[in-house]
Each structure stands twice: as C-alpha cells, then as structure tokens.
Amino acid sequence: MTQSRTRISKAVIPAAGLGTRFLPATKATPKEMLPVVDKPAIQYVVEEAVTAGLSDVLMVTGRNKRPLEDHFDRNYELEEALTRKGDETRLARVQESSDLATMHYVRQGDPRGLGHAVLCAAPHVGDQPFAVLLGDDLIDARDPLLARMVDIQERHGGSVIALMEVDPAQIHLYGCAAVKPTVEDDVVQVTGLIEKPDPADAPSNYAVIGRYVLDPAVFGVLRETEPGRGGEIQLTDALQALASSPDLGGPVHGVVFKGRRYDTGDRGDYLRAIVRLACEREDLGPEFREWLRSYVTEEM
Ligand code: G1P
C-alpha cells in the first residue's frame, strides 16, 4: 500500500464540459458560471474544497472558459468603483472569490473524457494524494463529505470515492460500485466499479457521486486505460483497475453520503437547488419563503 503522510492540499476540478443540457444559456457562458441564487455554481465547489483544507485548486478547462479565470481573479475596475461609492458589502462580495484559494488552470485540449481530464492534472499534482470535485455536483455545505473522505484516505491510504444509494432505475446515470461493509457504518470497501451500467448488470444501487480522493497511482493507470463507455477515457474504469489490484495503489474505499446533493447539470435539480438554498439564506430567505408559501397554496 502506498500511503503518503503529506497532508492532502490539492483539489482538481474538471470544467471543460460543453454544458449542452443548458443551451442556449451556455452558448457563450460556461455552465459552471450559471448562478445558484447569486453565486456561480463553481464558487460553491471551490468553497467546499477550501473548507476541507484544500486551498490549492487546479481547474481543467477548455475553450470558452475564460470567465472562470476572471471570476477567481481580481477585478480592479469594479473594486475601485465600489470603493469610491463606499459600498463595502458589495466590495467584500467581489473580493471573496479572488481571495478564496490559490488557483491554477490547465487546458484539456481534446475532450476525451473525465479520466483524460484528471490525467491533465498529473504534472501539477505530482506524487501525492489529491481530491477531484465535479462541478455538476453541489454538496450542501451543512453536510460535509470531503473532509470525511480525506480523513478515511489518511487512515487507509489508497483512494476514496463518494457513494450515494439511488433508485435502481437511476443507476444507469452513474458509475456503480460493488461493495463490502467495513466496521464503520458510513464506509465500505469497493470491490468493483462499472460506468453507467444497465440496471440488470448493476452490482448494487450505490452510485458514484462527484467527489474523489485519489492515490497518485491513478495517473499511471489512466495512461493505460483504453476508451470505455461513450468512447471516452473513464475515471471509473481506472478506479476499477485500482479496486481489483490493490497492489497498484492501495485499496479503494467508499464513503456513503446521506446528505443533500444537487445535480446542477440537470435543469430540474438546478431549480430545486436554487429554491432550497434561497429559502435558507438569512438575507433573502424570510421574504422568499413567505412568497413561496402563498405561491404554492394559491397557484398550484
Ligand atoms: C461522471 C462519472 C460517473 C459519476 C458521475 C457523478 O459522469 O463518470 O461515474 O457517477 O459523474 O456525477 P457524468 O455525469 O459526468 O457523465
């Protein structure tokens, strides 16, 4: 087992996808920049990484993703205008995203799948465990998942994935894990993985959700991984190789998540995320909840 004692500090966020499910909104705007209440979806993901102690963030981007870099950079013109007006509150909001993390960017070039996007991070990550956060999955900040995964990785070595039980009819939308229980209720050992199986071939209803803490051995495996489902190099296939040969890079464990997760890549879930998060906001919540209550009773 390769177990590094270095504290995990790097997060990789693949963000090269085209966002076709949100056209036309994503024709000229990256899907990661779509607002969830008043913050772009991607900012929640970077905040989640930072909260879990990962303040070195590498985004794997592609063409038309400049707004992502601008969002996490300073905007002197705006800052100056707000300073002149004495608008401290908005100034703080503008500066929040540029002060959040140490940001790095690499371009994926050819969109050859999630496994290929993760492989683009190899020179930056080097030889230490690291996290991968998928931008479409938004994990509610009140239900910490990543810190628990980092903790499990530090204790067991190897790699750790996040799993969620789903309706068996939905498993074809996810990577699916075969698992064995461990002594800890929320932790399982992963014995096999299959990307987006037909429900009849699914070994369980444990779906892979978009958080991973990976042993750097995954890079070597990804280099050897042939295109899989959809003709793309699948991260799930590389993890299957690790799970079935622990000598390659330690075991694969799963943390079973029971908290709130929104798939902001899906239009319905995106709307639900906005409504739930708006309801819970101290500034907007009270008035919005009142409106929602009367809207539901009077108009639905
Ligand atoms: C990716 C992974 C899949 C995982 C999913 C979670 O698929 O390939 O294994 O279950 O993210 O959101 P995508 O949704 O990008 O097609």
Side-chain angles (χ1 to χ4, degrees), residues 220-241:
V221 177
L222 280 169
R223 281 187 197 102
E224 305 292 318
T225 301
E226 298 288 332
R229 184 137 195 129
E232 297 190 331
I233 297 173
Q234 296 291 349
L235 181 58
T236 304
D237 293 345
L239 286 165
Q240 153 63 19

Side-chain angles (χ1 to χ4, degrees), residues 110-211:
D110 298 328
R112 291 168 54 203
L114 178 58
H116 177 246
V118 171
L119 194 48
C120 294
H124 179 80
V125 167
D127 190 27
Q128 51 180 295
F130 64 104
V132 174
L133 292 86
L134 304 190
D136 280 349
D137 281 304
L138 213 149
I139 304 293
D140 199 300
R142 291 159 299 171
D143 301 323
L145 166 63
L146 196 55
R148 176 73 176 143
M149 295 172 70
V150 168
D151 168 49
I152 298 299
Q153 199 283 336
E154 285 176 346
R155 281 199 277 131
H156 296 276
S159 298
V160 180
I161 60 177
L163 298 172
M164 209 166 176
E165 288 195 72
V166 298
D167 179 340
Q170 300 295 308
I171 198 72
H172 68 282
L173 300 171
Y174 300 94
C176 173
V179 302
K180 278 199 312 217
T182 70
V183 292
E184 288 178 277
D185 267 359
D186 65 331
V187 182
V188 289
Q189 171 133 22
V190 176
T191 55
L193 281 156
I194 170 165
E195 178 69 2
K196 302 196 176 122
D198 289 336
D201 303 329
S204 74
N205 67 332
Y206 282 104
V208 177
I209 56 172
R211 299 292 179 272

Side-chain angles (χ1 to χ4, degrees), residues 1-2 153 157-159 214-218 221 241-242 245-252:
M1 177 166 37
T2 55
Q153 199 283 336
S159 298
L214 301 175
D215 186 281
V218 75
V221 177
L242 287 174
S245 325
D247 287 351
L248 284 176
V252 179

